[in-house]
Amino acid sequence: MKMRFQNWVIVTTTSLVILLSSIFLVTVFGKFTNMSEENAQERFSLIAQQAVGEIVGMVRHNARFVTTQTRDELSHFVDHGHINPQALFTSFVNSLEADPTLYSHYFGLENDEFFQVIAIRGDVRIQVALKAPHNAFFAMRTILRENETSRQETWRFYDENRRFISERQDPAKYAPTERVWYKSALGSGTLAVTPPYLFSSTGELGLTVAAPLAERTGALGTDISLFSLNTFLSQISLTPNGAILMLDGDGRVLAFHSPGKLFDGVSVTALTPLEKIDDPFLKSLHTTRATGVSEVTSLGEGSRTRKFVVSRHVSPPIGGLAFQVVSLAPMSDFSEPIDKARQDVLFASLAILLVLLPLALLGSRQVVQSLQSLASNSERLKQLDFSTEPHKPESFLYEINALGEAQVVMQHSIKQRTSELKLAEEKLARLVANGIQLAREQDRTVLLRHILFGAREIAQCAAATLFLKTERNTLSFALRTNEEPLPAFEIPLLNPVTGQANDKFVVVYAALNNQTVIIDDVYRETRFDLSGTKRFSEASGFRTVSMLTVPLSPREGEVIGLLQLLNALDPVSGEVIAFPKELIGFVEALAAQSAVALENQNLIEAQKVLMDSLIKIIASAIDAKSPYTGGHCERVPELAVMLAEEATKVSEGPLASFRFVTEDEWREFRVGAWLHDCGKVVTPEYVVDKATKLETIYNRIHEIRTRFEILLRDAEIGRLQAIAAGETIERATAAFEVRKKQLLEDFAFVAECNIGGEYMDPGKVERLERIARETWWRHFDDRLGLSHEELKRYDRMPRATLPVEETLLADKPHHLLPRGEDVALDPKYGFQINVPPNLYNFGELYNLRIARGTLTDEERYKVNEHIVQTIVMLDQMPFPKHLRRVPEYAGTHHETLTGSGYPRKLTLEGLSVPSRIMAIADIFEALTASDRPYKKAKTLSESVKILSFFKKDRHIDPDLFDLFLTSGVYRRYGEHYLLPEQLDEVDISRYVG
């Protein structure tokens, strides 16, 4: 006979339950009453302890604040004999904000000066009591002694954000030395806690914690609100008719809570003694004084007497004050459920016992044997032990038979899935490891090998080929796993004749459609032309059967290459099989990783090329801007890199520690060298190219010459007028010739002064000033034809009435161009340079009196300012981490080792080796440049000699200068960039050492 296991389990289990219920009724219920009382006592003891812990924690927390504050130095509270209110205002407010139970913090001194911070928190009662504004959130009260008999009280009110609102002053009536908290703190000499009382401002219950200040010169106190005790007690879980009270040391009620009907309507006012409570049960509590234990006792009066569980706990004294918590509940709250449960269990057990007892022993033996067999199978299955076949138990129970069959099927399924899971786990681990390698690899060749061989390993195939898409819209053979040479031809994606998709080839189809293609058998495939694959198989001896082609797509719709995997291998037998479908996801995941890694490398390389090209374009544009600096920005980096390469080879001496190890470091240096003069882009050409003193956009000597022409014509007119007036022709002509000779000589002298020289002696300056005092008559308005901005400069002097007599040479107000905002004055850059007050000074005498060269101080600053602009421009660029030193390398080539350079006057300690290399490269290139029309190109020997003077004056690094010569860098550079006539011999022994 067969029956369902469910029915048999119901019968046997019910019988066992009845048996256990009978034992339970006999042995356990007799003890339930005692257990309920013990449970009630333990529960209420824990409730009382919890309540005691709450108030003790509240008081101790604030007691710690008080004692911590009073440990500070007396100077924290007292300043020259008076209170120091501002020292503690912030800490008092922070504490009041953090703890809503606090009312105020304060301290008083023995001279009755007093400081208090009160947390109003928008409480209308406190606002009214303190006469505070409606939006007051904090109040600061200060009482200061003005003299021996008078004290002044000041109230300052602040909003929630601590912003000052208002202030008022009153005569002081409050004396802290007369208060209980002050006397208690000084009397005990340590922490003191006042008995609870009602705050005058809010009517809420609270207490004060106080402690003496250093040297007992005063006391500090904190008012704690006990209002939250009622809220805390209401959150405690009590029985339906339970109650809990919190008392002070005198037995007065601080808080009371009861959720049930027994004490419904009982109102207990704060600080009411127990014996005065209008409730017989609560009133009788004052007669029970045992503490620290829970007990079952009778409470009430007369007929209203009931059995209660009462627990009473007293807190440890804090500052001389202790608290007491009493929790109570009638025993009926605990015994009623037990009595009812006992009756229910008794009746149910008896009913079930009568019905199910005869079936208790039927079928037990066979069920036990079957379950043991199933348990043994389950134990082996739990340990994944598949060494033996599971035993299928035979039973008349349907469920046991079904469970046995399910165990057999489950074991085979788990065995198969475990094997597949291990294989998938291995492939996933390989995929993760491969992804990490791809992300870290920067070498393109190594990256391609990672992609190809990683794919072959994950796919467990015999061979693989990597194709890359070219800019010619073709696919090229990039790499193979075998040693066969790569085909030189490329596969076009489109037919060059028709322009149609060339998708008869597998790789072209996969690339154009961004789709994975699976071929189980090459020789049975009809979708694609695989003749090339078959010919390769015949020629190489490698017979291709199965094929998997996966596109490399870094983003949707774009393919940058393909992976073609050949001949999947069975992991057990090693035979060629079709690529398993569950493998495709892993290969596609690898392809996606590889595509992103390859695309990232392409993008990074493209960014580098683009950035380097932009930098070189900027440098070339600066060189092309002026014929006087042509090629400078291109040659300086070459020379700097040559010297840096030699410095990197040095293994001893001061330069031994210098190394450019990585390609990023070399690139950072090259970029800095290319951009070392990028600031010249803002330097006007007419300043850089200024060849004469009066030159701006053009040479103003022609204006001076025109005035001399006017004076010569005036002299001619004067000769004719003299003859007409009766003067002899000979005498008038002789006077004219003298005047003409003077004017020609004076103009020649002025023109000579216009040519810049090494030195202009005072005699020439004196003659120039004498010539300048010559006058001529101007008949035309000099403000006509001027631009709006230029007219502004003429407004600095009054308009003259024409004709007007003017000096031959002059420095006029409109010659001055005022300076606007200058980045060189920004302190964040640390520039140490003298900035002229004017941007330009075009004064004629001012320019002609230039002692050396052709540039004024303003123009010389404008030329030197290019390095300031270089630093500012590069500082604003968001260079990546490996290019962060570009501004340093580009902006220090005009500094010296002695602090005499510009723009920051750095010394040896502030200049790195690359910065010092840049200085030598910049100077030497300028000395040897042959494309500057304002100077003759210097030979190698002349340039090295001049550079040695820079070494002697410590304007350049002596060790780098010696290396510059001994390594032959100067000679190699000269042979590449200098004219043949500049390449003379140099005796470096005169300069080295």
Side-chain angles (χ1 to χ4, degrees), residues 2 163 199 373 380 402 437 476 552 563-564 675 896 942:
K2 301 287 186 181
R163 291 191 293 260
F199 293 160
S373 177
R380 288 196 300 272
Q437 285 183 322
S476 66
L552 303 180
L563 281 170
Q564 192 169 72
L675 293 175
T896 69
E942 291 173 334

Side-chain angles (χ1 to χ4, degrees), residues 492-511:
L493 296 178
L494 302 176
N495 189 302
V497 178
T498 64
Q500 298 296 318
N502 202 14
D503 55 4
K504 63 180 180 179
F505 300 111
V506 178
V507 290
V508 174
Y509 178 86

Side-chain angles (χ1 to χ4, degrees), residues 460-630:
Q460 288 185 312
C461 62
T465 302
L466 175 63
F467 296 87
L468 292 180
K469 185 179 177 182
T470 69
E471 295 181 355
R472 298 175 294 280
N473 207 25
T474 62
L475 296 176
S476 66
F477 291 82
L479 196 63
R480 275 178 172 169
T481 54
N482 55 32
E483 300 299 328
E484 295 290 332
L486 292 173
F489 65 89
E490 297 178 357
I491 304 173
L493 296 178
L494 302 176
N495 189 302
V497 178
T498 64
Q500 298 296 318
N502 202 14
D503 55 4
K504 63 180 180 179
F505 300 111
V506 178
V507 290
V508 174
Y509 178 86
L512 292 177
N513 294 279
N514 194 7
Q515 180 179 333
T516 299
V517 178
I518 308 171
I519 298 177
D520 294 337
D521 191 338
V522 168
Y523 293 91
R524 295 181 180 178
E525 178 60 41
T526 59
R527 293 174 296 171
F528 305 105
D529 180 4
L530 297 172
S531 57
T533 303
K534 296 174 182 177
R535 286 195 301 270
F536 175 78
S537 297
E538 295 172 359
S540 63
F542 178 85
R543 178 180 171 84
T544 302
V545 178
S546 57
M547 180 183 293
L548 175 63
T549 305
V550 182
L552 303 180
S553 178
R555 59 184 65 86
E556 186 176 355
E558 180 179 354
V559 175
I560 63 173
L562 298 106
L563 281 170
Q564 192 169 72
L565 309 177
L566 308 175
N567 288 356
L569 301 176
D570 186 276
V572 178
S573 65
E575 295 180 356
V576 176
I577 60 174
F579 283 93
K581 298 297 185 291
E582 62 271 14
L583 186 68
I584 307 305
F586 290 101
V587 179
E588 289 179 338
L590 172 66
Q593 287 180 342
S594 303
V596 172
L598 195 57
E599 179 72 357
N600 287 344
Q601 191 176 75
N602 292 340
L603 291 174
I604 291 172
E605 189 61 31
Q607 284 180 339
K608 287 183 179 179
V609 172
L610 176 61
M611 183 176 181
D612 290 347
S613 299
L614 289 174
I615 290 170
K616 291 181 180 180
I617 287 174
I618 293 172
S620 299
I622 294 171
D623 283 345
K625 182 179 177 183
S626 169
Y628 293 170
T629 59

Side-chain angles (χ1 to χ4, degrees), residues 608-665:
K608 287 183 179 179
V609 172
L610 176 61
M611 183 176 181
D612 290 347
S613 299
L614 289 174
I615 290 170
K616 291 181 180 180
I617 287 174
I618 293 172
S620 299
I622 294 171
D623 283 345
K625 182 179 177 183
S626 169
Y628 293 170
T629 59
H632 175 76
C633 291
E634 179 181 354
R635 291 190 291 265
V636 167
E638 297 297 326
L639 180 55
V641 170
M642 292 170 65
L643 184 53
E645 289 173 344
E646 295 299 329
T648 302
K649 300 175 184 177
V650 176
S651 59
E652 59 184 17
L655 299 175
S657 61
F658 169 71
R659 288 288 183 279
F660 280 151
V661 178
T662 66
E663 175 56 30
D664 284 343
E665 292 176 327

Side-chain angles (χ1 to χ4, degrees), residues 180-347:
V180 174
W181 60 269
Y182 187 98
K183 295 178 180 179
S184 299
L186 290 183
S188 64
T190 181
L191 186 74
V193 182
T194 66
Y197 62 96
L198 298 177
F199 293 160
S200 60
S201 58
T202 64
E204 292 179 0
L205 185 64
L207 54 81
T208 298
V209 178
L213 299 179
E215 300 175 13
R216 301 172 69 85
T217 56
L220 184 144
T222 293
D223 289 338
I224 305 172
S225 172
L226 299 180
F227 175 80
S228 62
L229 291 179
N230 282 311
T231 303
F232 169 76
L233 294 183
S234 66
Q235 297 172 349
I236 293 177
S237 177
L238 299 172
T239 60
N241 293 296
I244 186 169
L245 302 94
M246 190 171 289
L247 314 173
D248 65 5
D250 297 327
R252 297 180 298 173
V253 177
L254 303 180
F256 168 76
H257 169 66
S258 174
K261 296 182 178 180
L262 183 61
F263 297 103
D264 189 19
V266 177
S267 176
V268 181
T269 306
L271 300 181
T272 301
L274 275 175
E275 58 271 19
K276 294 185 179 181
I277 297 177
D278 187 20
D279 181 87
F281 302 116
L282 299 179
K283 181 185 297 184
S284 60
L285 284 174
H286 80 278
T287 61
T288 60
R289 291 296 182 183
T291 61
V293 296
S294 296
E295 60 179 355
V296 178
T297 185
S298 296
L299 298 179
E301 299 175 352
S303 61
R304 294 196 63 188
T305 301
R306 296 178 65 175
K307 199 173 183 181
F308 279 79
V309 176
V310 179
S311 179
R312 187 188 300 266
H313 282 265
V314 177
S315 70
I318 306 174
L321 183 65
F323 301 91
Q324 185 179 170
V325 174
V326 181
S327 57
L328 67 158
M331 273 303 301
S332 59
D333 282 0
F334 301 90
S335 61
E336 285 180 0
I338 296 174
D339 293 338
K340 185 177 184 304
R342 180 169 54 192
Q343 294 175 4
D344 293 341
V345 170
L346 180 59
F347 287 117

Side-chain angles (χ1 to χ4, degrees), residues 132-164:
H134 69 89
N135 58 339
F137 204 83
F138 296 100
M140 184 176 74
R141 179 187 189 186
T142 307
I143 299 177
L144 294 174
R145 182 171 291 282
E146 297 179 341
N147 49 52
E148 292 297 323
T149 60
S150 174
R151 292 182 302 130
Q152 183 71 34
E153 181 181 77
T154 302
W155 288 88
R156 294 175 63 86
F157 299 97
Y158 301 84
D159 66 9
E160 188 174 4
N161 296 316
R162 308 183 188 181
R163 291 191 293 260
F164 175 76

